Amino acid sequence: MYDPPQDLTSSEQPTTEPPAATWPLPPVDAPRTPPAAEPRPASAYHPADDTRPLERADAVPATRPVAWAQLVMVAFVSAVFAGLISLALFLALDEDPAPPADAAPVVQPTVAQGDVDADPPADSGQDATLGESPTTGALPLAGTDVIEAVEVGNAVIPSVVTVQVGGDGGNGFFASGSGSGVVLDAEGYIITNHHVIDVADTFQVILSDKRVYPATLIGSDPLTDLAVLRIDAPDLEPIALGATNDLSVGDVAIAVGSPLGLEGGPSLTVGVVSAFGRQVQTGPQDILYGMLQTDAPITQGSSGGALVNADGELIDITTAVGVSSVGVEGIGFATPVELVERVTTELIATGSIDHAFLGITGFTEFADSGDGGSVPAGVSIQSVESGSAADTSGLEAGDLITSIDGEQVVTMDDLIVALRHRMAGSEVTLLIDRDGVRQSIALVLGSR
């Protein structure tokens, strides 16, 4: 069994396409309206694609005159009935029957106001219990620690900005759309999404403390949907960088962004890490690989914002949300911080990206699992481009790639993600299987 062949010679995109997606960034003051008669397929899109109008907060329905005498009578009758019911309940519960001899004892929660009992008695037979604070929404962290969302917000919100795009309106900057961004360092570099800045050539950044600065585009990369802006501003608060390789499904994920371009600074939403390694199609020819999935609400205008862990460290850049024919599905996708670091480093250094190029077409090879099923076993090379890194290193059609620099490769997506995390000119070692014989192939990746 095998997947249809996929081509890494030009765009590293597979021929099998996941559901389509769009994310044109609409003007803030004139949202686009999609055709009403055409249902949207399951896809992933930029939150700014949501064009539903805001309802007026001051719209109040008309009311009818109040019959006061009738209201007084109804209230009196209701009070009488409520008193009778309360009396009956009191008489019924006045004497508690003794519990059966084998009934389990009633156990009060060991935790209150967001604390965790890290060390329950050894002979209690009870697990530590988490109590969620009604005012702060405390969330569990790995082990026995507790994280307060408010503490994460205090640490992260100063590092998240609003990115406005537009032009010169005659009386200064005129904003036609907005997204989010993250302060990378004290030098003024701001991370955002390529699709946020792709619709304009003039930008400004609004900090969480309401300071506004013009921004310069340093560089962007459509392939990974990342971009870097720069502002000249003092007293910036760079975000702390984390990692995704030590995360697990179910870990806390907190999204901080600038919803709807609203004034008042960034907002915070809380969820969990839902999945890893998602493939997300964002356009007819645009596919993002290795994306993290979360259920933390990612709102319109939050593209380019921060997804952080329970310690307030950046783990991803929020990028897209999932939709179907019935609307937004509560599924968000974010770009892992490891890829963000690799791309932004090169953008800051050179203003552009040279992506690593191997030069093969191939497909995911499946092997017999031994129990009647099959499992992905590596990338089978279908063809090798002449003069490419694959060609000069001696790779051949029929070779099965099973790892790169010791990282297991069992699918085509695994290989694409591994290549996107590496720079052109990097030396790598592939482990391949050729006619049942394993061997290592060292090569220097090309560029495209």
Side-chain angles (χ1 to χ4, degrees):
M1 298 175 61
Y2 64 92
D3 283 348
Q6 301 174 10
D7 187 357
L8 289 185
T9 60
S10 57
S11 64
E12 295 178 1
Q13 311 286 11
T15 56
T16 54
E17 296 182 353
T22 59
W23 54 30
L25 188 66
V28 170
D29 57 350
R32 295 186 353 147
T33 302
E38 183 177 346
R40 300 179 66 168
S43 60
Y45 85 128
H46 169 230
D49 194 32
D50 189 348
T51 57
R52 293 170 293 184
L54 294 174
E55 295 182 358
R56 290 184 46 155
D58 59 352
V60 180
T63 57
R64 303 177 68 177
V66 179
W68 295 106
Q70 295 176 3
L71 288 178
V72 171
M73 180 60 71
V74 170
F76 176 76
V77 174
S78 298
V80 171
F81 275 108
L84 292 174
I85 293 172
S86 298
L87 179 59
L89 289 175
F90 174 78
L91 293 175
L93 299 176
D94 187 40
E95 294 185 3
D96 267 342
D102 58 350
V106 177
V107 180
Q108 294 295 326
T110 59
V111 184
Q113 299 299 316
D115 295 324
V116 171
D117 183 0
D119 299 298
D123 60 348
S124 69
Q126 302 167 21
D127 294 331
T129 305
L130 172 67
E132 181 172 338
S133 166
T135 56
T136 60
L139 297 170
L141 184 58
T144 59
D145 296 328
V146 170
I147 179 69
E148 301 262 356
V150 66
E151 296 176 359
V152 172
N154 290 337
V156 175
I157 284 176
S159 303
V160 177
V161 305
T162 299
V163 176
Q164 291 186 329
V165 300
D168 187 353
N171 295 319
F173 180 83
F174 173 77
S176 60
S178 71
S180 301
V182 178
V183 178
L184 179 61
D185 59 26
E187 299 299 315
Y189 291 107
I190 307 291
I191 309 166
T192 189
N193 283 133
H194 167 79
H195 72 260
V196 170
I197 57 86
D198 190 40
V199 296
D201 55 10
T202 306
F203 319 97
Q204 71 176 19
V205 166
I206 304 175
L207 302 180
S208 63
D209 60 10
K210 299 181 176 58
R211 289 183 290 162
V212 182
Y213 295 93
T216 301
L217 178 63
I218 300 301
S220 68
D221 178 39
L223 194 64
T224 57
D225 195 19
L226 292 169
V228 175
L229 299 170
R230 188 177 188 183
I231 60 174
D232 184 8
D235 303 321
L236 296 175
E237 296 196 31
I239 198 163
L241 300 182
T244 62
N245 54 17
D246 56 357
L247 293 176
S248 300
V249 171
D251 279 342
V252 172
I254 300 177
V256 184
S258 301
L260 303 172
L262 296 174
E263 296 182 1
S267 69
L268 179 150
T269 57
V270 181
V272 299
V273 175
S274 302
F276 299 96
R278 294 302 198 201
Q279 182 186 128
V280 181
Q281 183 160 356
T282 57
Q285 302 296 325
D286 302 318
I287 300 177
L288 301 175
Y289 293 90
M291 302 291 281
L292 181 144
Q293 178 186 323
T294 181
D295 69 345
I298 298 175
T299 51
Q300 179 181 354
S302 293
S303 282
L307 189 70
V308 300
N309 60 20
D311 295 322
E313 298 170 330
L314 184 70
I315 54 174
D316 295 84
I317 294 295
T318 55
T319 301
V321 297
V323 296
S324 69
S325 58
V326 298
V328 178
E329 294 289 354
I331 299 174
F333 301 101
T335 305
V337 66
E338 292 84 0
L339 182 60
V340 172
E341 288 187 86
R342 174 262 182 277
V343 171
T344 56
T345 297
E346 190 167 347
L347 287 176
I348 291 171
T350 67
S352 61
I353 291 288
D354 285 330
H355 285 283
F357 180 61
L358 181 58
I360 67 165
T361 61
F363 54 87
T364 300
E365 179 77 34
F366 285 80
D368 188 350
S369 63
D371 58 1
S374 59
V375 292
V379 173
S380 182
I381 298 176
Q382 186 176 34
S383 65
V384 176
E385 181 175 316
S386 177
S388 67
D391 180 39
T392 57
S393 67
L395 288 175
E396 301 175 358
D399 288 345
L400 184 70
I401 301 173
T402 58
S403 77
I404 178 170
D405 290 337
E407 300 173 15
Q408 187 179 32
V409 172
V410 296
T411 67
M412 196 67 168
D413 278 15
D414 291 343
L415 182 57
I416 293 173
V417 169
L419 291 175
R420 289 194 176 177
H421 279 75
R422 287 163 171 79
M423 299 179 65
S426 299
E427 183 174 345
V428 299
T429 300
L430 302 179
L431 181 63
I432 68 168
D433 186 310
R434 178 178 295 169
D435 298 327
V437 178
R438 291 191 175 187
Q439 56 182 289
S440 295
I441 301 288
L443 57 86
V444 176
L445 295 171
S447 65
R448 63 175 178 82

